[in-house]
Amino acid sequence: MSRLLVVSNRLPVTVSAAQGEAIVTPSMGGLSTGLRGPFERSQGLWIGWPGDLSQLDDAARASAMKELQALRTLPVELTADELRLYYEEFANGVLWPVFHYLLDRIPVHSGGWEMYRKVNQKFAAAVAAQYRPGDTIWVHDYQLLLLPGMLRELLPRARIGFFLHIPFPASEVFRMLPWREDVLRGMLGADLIGFHTPSYARNFASAVVRLLGHEPVVDELSVSGRKVRFRAFPMGIDTETFTGATQPSDESFRPRPGEHLLLGVDRLDYTKGIRRRLSAVERVLQRRPDLRGKLRMLQIAVPSRESVTAYQDYRRRVEEMVGAINGRCSTLTDAPIHYMYRGFPQEQLIDLYRAASVMLVTPTRDGMNLVAKEFAAARTDGDGVLVLSEFAGAAEEMPEALQVNPFDVDGMAQAIEQAIDMAEGERRSRMAGLRARVLRFDVHRWTEDFLAALADDELAVQVEPAPLLPVGQVAEAARSAVLAGRRVVLLLDYDGTLVPIAPRPELAAPDPELLRLLAQLATKTGLSTHVLSGRPWQDIDRWLGGLHINLHAEHGMYSRIDDQWRARGAAPEDMREKVLATLERVSANTPGSHVELKAAGLAWHYRLAEREQGAHQARELRLHLRELLVGTPLEVLIGDKVVEVRPRGVHKGLIAHEVLRPSDLVIAVGDDRTDEDMFAAAPEGAFTVKVGGGTTSAKNRVGDVAGTRALLRALAEQL
Ligand code: ADQ
């Protein structure tokens, strides 16, 4: 089994000091419980911040380090400054509100980005120092969004997983983040990216297309020739803990017959919707005076991020509200809201879940919300009602809950009444549905699913990028071949290979340097140069017609041999019209796209269209055209930001076959998917060269157009 390196902002331990001795206690979070199995079995290592150790004296510090090591954790220590800027200002001050759609909480100025990057780098160095080939790295959450990308640079072959525990917002919101591209690139360093729900995965896909232009195919992306998968892995809980027996505790909080206990359990966080929830409870009391004295709300709020101002403010406002409502609604013997600002031991929490008549989980946004699942698991009696926000990730898996819009306070009040009045039969049947799913998809299943997907064999054969072309050696080989009386054939694509890709096709005219180089090559004996382009023959003729080289246009539909352009066939006129009508309709609906009429084929270009819309229309168009063209002599060809229709069976490979002789030394250079046909047709011993990154069957690559030019220059000098 591959050794597991878990990386999270916080280590799952608490370090405290007593009489100069450090005490390190493992904490009980869901994540550490879920990971315990694979972590132990693989003798894993957990890397993260251990908490503030600055208060420890030397001896205590040394003993803490020893204990941390014994627990197989590796501390990444952070200075007060690092913590303030990386964690408080950036992760919690900027990323947290943006990812939870709370745009008014984004500060006008945040100086945290640089430090966020630096601390991610610090984590990267710590992980890389521990990494051994064969290890599996699993990075967690929004504090470390850049880490997968940084690790990919340091460890190109490592298997890296990333899981986001908070929502991934709609791309409309995500793109407000000034560092949006860096964040996406950071995440894309992973082989597998996990989210709590399919909607977050969709939002992510949409942001990636829109901002980086990578088009996903179902749940997969190709990033510089690397496969990156993204999927929903809804997190579960450690059900055993929550279904187990507890020691009988103080009974006084249990509702007596005719009484109702409403329960809220949250970290005190402004995304949890505590204020609106309290308002809804007050509204119930106003509408139903009969419930006064019989309805109690117990709100438990665990202290959280207390050094962040927004959290201090939120706490004050919640507490003022509790006071105000109690002031208005208390009777001589009872106050309706019982509020506690502290953490509870898990046993007591379970007791509370079991005692509650109605559990209120009403965040305005929440990645998943495990409290909802814990409540269902704890209800071994099969009773109790869950009121759940439709904006919690858990809502997608818990349709039997009474789902509410937390912004609709009246609606929430009605749902609370409905829950209180619900007949026992309905309560039990809803709870049975909730429990069945929660118990089945627990945290162990979640860990297994994620790690199994990450270990998938397909990923193991990550495509190695083709090595750089040794230009000097190729030119030497060409020279020797010519001297030995062999012919050297140079097969060159045009756009993206000889000239850079231009925003519109007509802007990609050849520059004087290229014309000079090609003219020079045309004079070399023993060298036969062919340009193979997908463009209309008129373009190629206008731009390169003056050179004494072989030209092929429209992927080979037209070839100029002996100064005469010849066609290999044409599309039937009626089909051409049908296709043209379709392309023009799509073009009219997609600003920035346009139709190109070629002599034999037709193309729809969408490089300038809004990326997501372009990609979407291209997918639809492809499906539509495939149907339209069944049984016709035409086929659909997908290029780089272009969908093309052309006569079937004519491609660059066909041309290569036609012009090549077995004794030739072949050098084929191209950048696009259509050039793969050319590479496939090249004989054994040929130099096949891909321009730029991306998956290819070519044996070598050059970085860009300048790389192709360097090759042409070397050939011109050597031959
Ligand atoms: P959180 O925002 O912390 O987690 P949640 O999923 O509800 O939200 O987890 C809270 C945990 O804290 C639960 O296990 C709960 O039992 C515990 N807890 C809450 N109140 C407590 C109290 N008073 N005393 C003791 N324990 C208490 C983030 C995301 C979530 C996502 C999780 C997991 O914001 O959306 O579900 O990570 O990915």
Side-chain angles (χ1 to χ4, degrees), residues 4-5 15 33 84 102 126 135 143 163 212 214 231 261 348 352 397 442 450 472 480 499 611 624 636 688:
L4 185 59
L5 303 185
V15 183
T33 315
R84 181 174 58 79
L102 289 163
D135 285 352
Q143 300 92 349
F163 190 84
L212 300 184
H214 301 308
R231 255 184 53 194
L261 176 65
Q348 278 186 34
L352 289 172
E397 290 171 86
D442 66 0
F450 187 90
S480 313
V499 295
R611 283 160 165 173
H624 178 74
V636 185
T688 46

CSV table of all heavy atoms in Angstrom, one decimal, residues 4-5 15 33 84 102 126 135 143 163 212 214 231 261 348 352 397 442 450 472 480 499 611 624 636 688:
chain,number,residue,atom,x,y,z
A,4,LEU,N,0.7,7.2,2.8
A,4,LEU,CA,-0.2,8.4,2.7
A,4,LEU,C,0.4,9.6,3.4
A,4,LEU,O,0.7,9.5,4.6
A,4,LEU,CB,-1.6,8.0,3.3
A,4,LEU,CG,-2.7,9.1,3.2
A,4,LEU,CD1,-3.0,9.4,1.7
A,4,LEU,CD2,-3.9,8.5,3.9
A,5,LEU,N,0.6,10.7,2.6
A,5,LEU,CA,1.0,11.9,3.3
A,5,LEU,C,-0.2,12.8,3.3
A,5,LEU,O,-0.7,13.2,2.2
A,5,LEU,CB,2.1,12.6,2.5
A,5,LEU,CG,3.4,11.8,2.2
A,5,LEU,CD1,4.5,12.7,1.5
A,5,LEU,CD2,4.0,11.3,3.5
A,15,VAL,N,-1.7,20.8,21.4
A,15,VAL,CA,-0.5,20.8,22.2
A,15,VAL,C,-0.8,21.8,23.4
A,15,VAL,O,-1.1,22.9,23.1
A,15,VAL,CB,0.7,21.3,21.4
A,15,VAL,CG1,2.0,21.2,22.3
A,15,VAL,CG2,0.9,20.4,20.1
A,33,THR,N,-10.6,10.7,12.0
A,33,THR,CA,-11.2,9.4,12.2
A,33,THR,C,-11.3,8.7,10.9
A,33,THR,O,-10.9,7.5,10.8
A,33,THR,CB,-12.6,9.6,12.8
A,33,THR,OG1,-12.6,10.6,13.8
A,33,THR,CG2,-13.1,8.3,13.3
A,84,ARG,N,-1.2,35.5,10.9
A,84,ARG,CA,-2.1,36.6,10.8
A,84,ARG,C,-2.4,36.9,9.3
A,84,ARG,O,-3.6,37.0,8.9
A,84,ARG,CB,-1.5,37.9,11.4
A,84,ARG,CG,-2.4,39.1,11.3
A,84,ARG,CD,-1.7,40.3,12.1
A,84,ARG,NE,-0.4,40.6,11.6
A,84,ARG,CZ,-0.2,41.4,10.5
A,84,ARG,NH1,-1.2,41.8,9.8
A,84,ARG,NH2,1.0,41.6,10.1
A,102,LEU,N,-20.4,35.5,0.4
A,102,LEU,CA,-20.7,36.7,1.2
A,102,LEU,C,-19.8,37.8,0.7
A,102,LEU,O,-18.8,38.2,1.3
A,102,LEU,CB,-20.4,36.3,2.7
A,102,LEU,CG,-21.5,35.4,3.2
A,102,LEU,CD1,-21.0,34.7,4.4
A,102,LEU,CD2,-22.8,36.1,3.4
A,126,ALA,N,8.1,21.5,2.9
A,126,ALA,CA,8.0,20.5,4.0
A,126,ALA,C,7.5,19.1,3.4
A,126,ALA,O,8.1,18.1,3.8
A,126,ALA,CB,7.0,20.9,5.1
A,135,ASP,N,4.7,7.4,-2.8
A,135,ASP,CA,3.8,8.0,-1.8
A,135,ASP,C,2.6,8.6,-2.5
A,135,ASP,O,2.6,9.0,-3.6
A,135,ASP,CB,4.5,9.2,-1.0
A,135,ASP,CG,5.5,8.6,0.0
A,135,ASP,OD1,5.6,7.4,0.2
A,135,ASP,OD2,6.3,9.5,0.6
A,143,GLN,N,-7.1,26.6,2.7
A,143,GLN,CA,-5.9,27.3,3.1
A,143,GLN,C,-4.7,26.9,2.2
A,143,GLN,O,-3.7,27.6,2.2
A,143,GLN,CB,-5.5,26.9,4.6
A,143,GLN,CG,-6.6,27.2,5.6
A,143,GLN,CD,-7.6,26.0,5.8
A,143,GLN,OE1,-7.6,25.1,5.1
A,143,GLN,NE2,-8.4,26.2,6.9
A,163,PHE,N,-8.8,17.9,-1.7
A,163,PHE,CA,-10.2,17.9,-1.4
A,163,PHE,C,-10.6,19.3,-0.8
A,163,PHE,O,-9.9,19.8,0.1
A,163,PHE,CB,-10.6,16.8,-0.3
A,163,PHE,CG,-12.1,16.7,-0.2
A,163,PHE,CD1,-12.8,16.0,-1.1
A,163,PHE,CD2,-12.7,17.4,0.8
A,163,PHE,CE1,-14.2,15.9,-1.0
A,163,PHE,CE2,-14.1,17.4,0.9
A,163,PHE,CZ,-14.9,16.6,0.0
A,212,LEU,N,-9.5,29.7,-17.7
A,212,LEU,CA,-8.2,29.2,-18.3
A,212,LEU,C,-8.4,28.6,-19.7
A,212,LEU,O,-7.4,28.3,-20.3
A,212,LEU,CB,-7.7,28.1,-17.3
A,212,LEU,CG,-7.3,28.5,-15.9
A,212,LEU,CD1,-6.7,27.4,-15.2
A,212,LEU,CD2,-6.4,29.7,-15.9
A,214,HIS,N,-9.5,25.6,-20.4
A,214,HIS,CA,-9.4,24.2,-20.6
A,214,HIS,C,-10.8,23.6,-20.6
A,214,HIS,O,-11.6,23.9,-19.7
A,214,HIS,CB,-8.7,23.5,-19.3
A,214,HIS,CG,-7.3,24.0,-19.1
A,214,HIS,ND1,-6.4,24.0,-20.1
A,214,HIS,CD2,-6.7,24.5,-18.0
A,214,HIS,CE1,-5.3,24.5,-19.6
A,214,HIS,NE2,-5.4,24.8,-18.3
A,231,ARG,N,-14.4,15.5,-9.1
A,231,ARG,CA,-15.6,14.7,-8.9
A,231,ARG,C,-16.2,15.0,-7.5
A,231,ARG,O,-15.4,15.6,-6.7
A,231,ARG,CB,-15.3,13.2,-8.9
A,231,ARG,CG,-15.8,12.5,-10.2
A,231,ARG,CD,-15.5,11.1,-10.0
A,231,ARG,NE,-16.1,10.5,-8.8
A,231,ARG,CZ,-15.8,9.3,-8.3
A,231,ARG,NH1,-14.9,8.6,-8.9
A,231,ARG,NH2,-16.3,8.9,-7.2
A,261,LEU,N,-38.1,20.7,22.2
A,261,LEU,CA,-36.8,21.3,22.3
A,261,LEU,C,-36.2,21.5,20.8
A,261,LEU,O,-36.1,20.5,20.1
A,261,LEU,CB,-35.9,20.3,23.1
A,261,LEU,CG,-34.4,20.7,23.1
A,261,LEU,CD1,-34.2,22.0,23.9
A,261,LEU,CD2,-33.6,19.6,23.8
A,348,GLN,N,-21.9,14.4,25.2
A,348,GLN,CA,-23.0,15.3,25.6
A,348,GLN,C,-23.7,15.8,24.4
A,348,GLN,O,-25.0,16.0,24.4
A,348,GLN,CB,-22.5,16.5,26.4
A,348,GLN,CG,-22.3,16.1,27.8
A,348,GLN,CD,-21.9,17.4,28.6
A,348,GLN,OE1,-22.3,18.5,28.4
A,348,GLN,NE2,-21.1,17.1,29.6
A,352,LEU,N,-27.7,15.5,23.4
A,352,LEU,CA,-28.5,16.6,23.0
A,352,LEU,C,-29.2,16.3,21.7
A,352,LEU,O,-30.4,16.5,21.5
A,352,LEU,CB,-27.7,17.9,22.8
A,352,LEU,CG,-27.2,18.5,24.1
A,352,LEU,CD1,-26.2,19.6,23.8
A,352,LEU,CD2,-28.3,19.0,24.9
A,397,GLU,N,-28.0,15.4,-0.4
A,397,GLU,CA,-28.2,14.0,-0.1
A,397,GLU,C,-29.3,13.8,0.9
A,397,GLU,O,-29.5,12.6,1.3
A,397,GLU,CB,-26.9,13.6,0.7
A,397,GLU,CG,-25.7,13.5,-0.2
A,397,GLU,CD,-24.5,13.2,0.8
A,397,GLU,OE1,-24.2,12.1,1.1
A,397,GLU,OE2,-23.9,14.2,1.2
A,442,ASP,N,-20.6,6.5,5.2
A,442,ASP,CA,-19.9,7.1,6.3
A,442,ASP,C,-18.5,7.6,5.9
A,442,ASP,O,-18.1,7.6,4.8
A,442,ASP,CB,-19.8,6.1,7.5
A,442,ASP,CG,-18.9,4.9,7.2
A,442,ASP,OD1,-18.4,4.9,6.1
A,442,ASP,OD2,-18.7,4.0,8.0
A,450,PHE,N,-12.3,8.1,-2.2
A,450,PHE,CA,-11.4,9.1,-2.7
A,450,PHE,C,-10.0,8.5,-3.0
A,450,PHE,O,-9.5,8.7,-4.1
A,450,PHE,CB,-11.2,10.3,-1.7
A,450,PHE,CG,-10.4,11.4,-2.3
A,450,PHE,CD1,-11.0,12.5,-3.0
A,450,PHE,CD2,-9.0,11.4,-2.1
A,450,PHE,CE1,-10.2,13.5,-3.5
A,450,PHE,CE2,-8.2,12.5,-2.7
A,450,PHE,CZ,-8.9,13.5,-3.4
A,472,GLY,N,20.1,20.3,-33.0
A,472,GLY,CA,21.4,20.1,-33.7
A,472,GLY,C,21.5,18.7,-34.3
A,472,GLY,O,21.9,18.5,-35.4
A,480,SER,N,23.6,14.0,-43.0
A,480,SER,CA,24.1,12.7,-43.3
A,480,SER,C,23.3,12.0,-44.3
A,480,SER,O,23.8,11.3,-45.2
A,480,SER,CB,24.3,11.8,-42.0
A,480,SER,OG,24.8,12.5,-41.0
A,499,VAL,N,3.6,29.9,-37.7
A,499,VAL,CA,3.3,31.2,-37.2
A,499,VAL,C,2.4,31.0,-36.0
A,499,VAL,O,1.8,30.0,-35.8
A,499,VAL,CB,2.5,32.0,-38.3
A,499,VAL,CG1,3.3,32.3,-39.5
A,499,VAL,CG2,1.2,31.3,-38.6
A,611,ARG,N,-15.5,31.9,-23.3
A,611,ARG,CA,-15.0,30.6,-23.3
A,611,ARG,C,-16.0,29.5,-23.0
A,611,ARG,O,-16.1,28.5,-23.6
A,611,ARG,CB,-13.8,30.4,-22.4
A,611,ARG,CG,-12.6,31.1,-23.0
A,611,ARG,CD,-11.6,31.3,-22.0
A,611,ARG,NE,-10.3,31.6,-22.5
A,611,ARG,CZ,-9.3,32.0,-21.7
A,611,ARG,NH1,-9.5,32.2,-20.4
A,611,ARG,NH2,-8.1,32.2,-22.2
A,624,HIS,N,-24.9,17.7,-32.8
A,624,HIS,CA,-25.9,17.9,-33.9
A,624,HIS,C,-25.3,17.5,-35.2
A,624,HIS,O,-26.0,16.9,-36.0
A,624,HIS,CB,-26.3,19.4,-33.8
A,624,HIS,CG,-27.2,19.8,-34.9
A,624,HIS,ND1,-28.6,19.4,-34.9
A,624,HIS,CD2,-27.1,20.4,-36.1
A,624,HIS,CE1,-29.2,19.8,-36.0
A,624,HIS,NE2,-28.3,20.5,-36.7
A,636,VAL,N,-17.1,15.3,-39.1
A,636,VAL,CA,-16.8,16.4,-38.3
A,636,VAL,C,-15.4,16.3,-37.7
A,636,VAL,O,-15.0,15.2,-37.4
A,636,VAL,CB,-17.7,16.4,-37.0
A,636,VAL,CG1,-17.5,17.7,-36.2
A,636,VAL,CG2,-19.2,16.4,-37.5
A,688,THR,N,9.2,13.1,-35.3
A,688,THR,CA,7.9,13.7,-35.2
A,688,THR,C,7.9,14.7,-34.0
A,688,THR,O,8.4,14.4,-33.0
A,688,THR,CB,6.8,12.7,-34.9
A,688,THR,OG1,7.3,11.8,-33.9
A,688,THR,CG2,6.5,11.8,-36.2
